[in-house]
Amino acid sequence: MAEELKGLDYYLASDAWKDTKVADWSKIDAFVDHGWLTEQDRKYLHAYGSMVALNPDSSGGFSETDAAWKKYLDVSDKHENDPIFNDETKAEDIPPPDWDDGPQDGKDYYKDGPSDIPGTEKTPVGDVPKVPGDGGDKKKGGDGVISVNTKALAVFADNVEALRVMIGKSKKKTDEVNVLPGGFNVAFKLRDKIMGTGEKDPGLKSNVRNYMDGLDIALANVRDEVRKLIVDYDSTEELNKLTTDKLNKVMRDSFGFIDSSSRSK
């Protein structure tokens, strides 16, 4: 059994700070990026936020968190009017980066950038599977012709499974998304919109991931129900008993998640 954390270690391990507004967490990240606060300061500030969230009536603290909090307030006061934290700031008002070598004409920064950043390369998740009669050929069951048989149902089930493979790859790519904003307020707000700020504000990344999880389950249900139909109606005589109402019910029940999600948009 793992040893129970106590004291400051308990709060350092907690992420309860994410659901509080006791501090401007995005601004703290910016302070660390600029070197005005250290990584250790940020950890102690997170611990301070968790203390407030878990023990709002407590007046006690730890010397480490108290010192980090004082440092945060001092830095906030010093940079209160810094243009990088002002939504109205124009690009020309922001001082250039503190480096020796400026941008070089003709240099391909995109090409020379790190290759493992999501979005910097084309990573197709797969091709949409073809369906029987694709292309509108009426002789093959295209436009204007409706035909249901166990072979067609099997192809449909396999195509649904192929879509699930694409969703699985998409989920992995979504998990890799990690927005690293520049040191200005609008960028941090964009990061928060995408990455979220806690359970009450999960952000676009989490919402998209949750939707794909639900879609994955819904398509798996469709696949299983269709394959069950193939077993239940494994002969032409049995298939003739498959009424439109029965097939519609299977599709309606299985696609319920997708339909309800579409209507909620």
Side-chain angles (χ1 to χ4, degrees), residues 30 34 36 81-87 89 94-95 183-186 188:
H34 282 77
W36 302 330
N81 298 318
D82 197 310
I84 67 174
F85 302 118
N86 189 335
D87 291 341
T89 297
I94 300 177
F184 54 99
N185 199 31
V186 174
F188 285 107

Side-chain angles (χ1 to χ4, degrees), residues 1-264:
M1 182 175 180
E3 182 180 354
E4 183 178 356
L5 297 176
K6 296 181 180 180
L8 179 57
D9 289 338
Y10 173 78
Y11 296 109
L12 284 170
S14 172
D15 62 356
W17 59 271
K18 294 181 179 180
D19 294 323
T20 72
K21 296 186 181 298
V22 65
D24 188 331
W25 305 115
S26 295
K27 188 171 288 188
I28 288 174
D29 291 339
F31 290 168
V32 173
D33 291 341
H34 282 77
W36 302 330
L37 292 177
T38 67
E39 287 286 353
Q40 193 63 49
D41 290 332
R42 177 160 50 189
K43 292 179 181 179
Y44 286 140
L45 289 169
H46 287 172
Y48 181 90
S50 294
M51 289 169 56
V52 173
L54 301 174
N55 298 293
D57 297 329
S58 175
S59 59
F62 301 92
S63 59
E64 295 91 342
T65 56
D66 290 345
W69 182 254
K70 183 180 183 304
K71 187 175 179 180
Y72 163 65
L73 295 179
D74 290 341
V75 173
S76 296
D77 289 341
K78 181 178 179 180
H79 296 277
E80 180 179 6
N81 298 318
D82 197 310
I84 67 174
F85 302 118
N86 189 335
D87 291 341
E88 304 300 324
T89 297
K90 299 179 181 179
E92 57 267 23
D93 296 330
I94 300 177
D98 185 18
W99 54 28
D100 295 331
D101 297 325
Q104 301 174 21
D105 293 336
K107 182 176 177 59
D108 190 343
Y109 288 95
Y110 177 87
K111 178 181 178 181
D112 295 338
S115 59
D116 58 346
I117 298 178
T120 59
E121 72 288 337
K122 293 183 178 180
T123 48
V125 295
D127 296 323
V128 177
K130 293 184 178 300
V131 298
D134 191 15
D137 187 340
K138 294 184 179 182
K139 294 182 180 180
K140 296 182 179 179
D143 185 29
V145 176
I146 299 176
S147 177
V148 176
N149 53 53
T150 53
K151 182 178 180 180
L153 289 176
V155 172
F156 178 76
D158 290 343
N159 285 348
V160 168
E161 179 60 22
L163 292 176
R164 290 189 63 241
V165 172
M166 294 172 63
I167 292 173
K169 293 179 179 179
S170 297
K171 288 195 289 187
K172 290 181 179 179
K173 297 303 296 182
T174 301
D175 291 340
E176 294 175 4
V177 172
N178 183 25
V179 177
L180 301 174
F184 54 99
N185 199 31
V186 174
F188 285 107
K189 287 184 177 181
L190 177 62
R191 188 273 306 274
D192 290 345
K193 289 291 185 182
I194 297 175
M195 304 302 292
T197 58
E199 293 183 3
K200 296 180 180 178
D201 183 19
L204 179 61
K205 174 182 175 179
S206 180
N207 287 335
V208 169
R209 184 63 160 79
N210 289 338
Y211 178 80
M212 286 193 291
D213 285 338
L215 182 60
D216 193 11
I217 294 172
L219 291 179
N221 290 336
V222 172
R223 176 205 60 197
D224 294 342
E225 289 294 336
V226 171
R227 287 177 176 172
K228 183 175 183 298
L229 286 177
I230 296 174
V231 175
D232 292 343
Y233 301 91
D234 59 350
S235 67
T236 303
E237 292 75 14
E238 290 295 324
L239 189 62
N240 288 334
K241 300 177 184 178
L242 176 59
T243 64
T244 301
D245 290 341
K246 170 67 175 177
L247 184 59
N248 284 343
K249 184 179 186 303
V250 169
M251 296 303 175
R252 183 173 60 252
D253 292 347
S254 298
F255 277 102
F257 168 82
I258 303 173
D259 291 341
S260 62
S261 297
S262 298
R263 287 193 296 270
S264 66

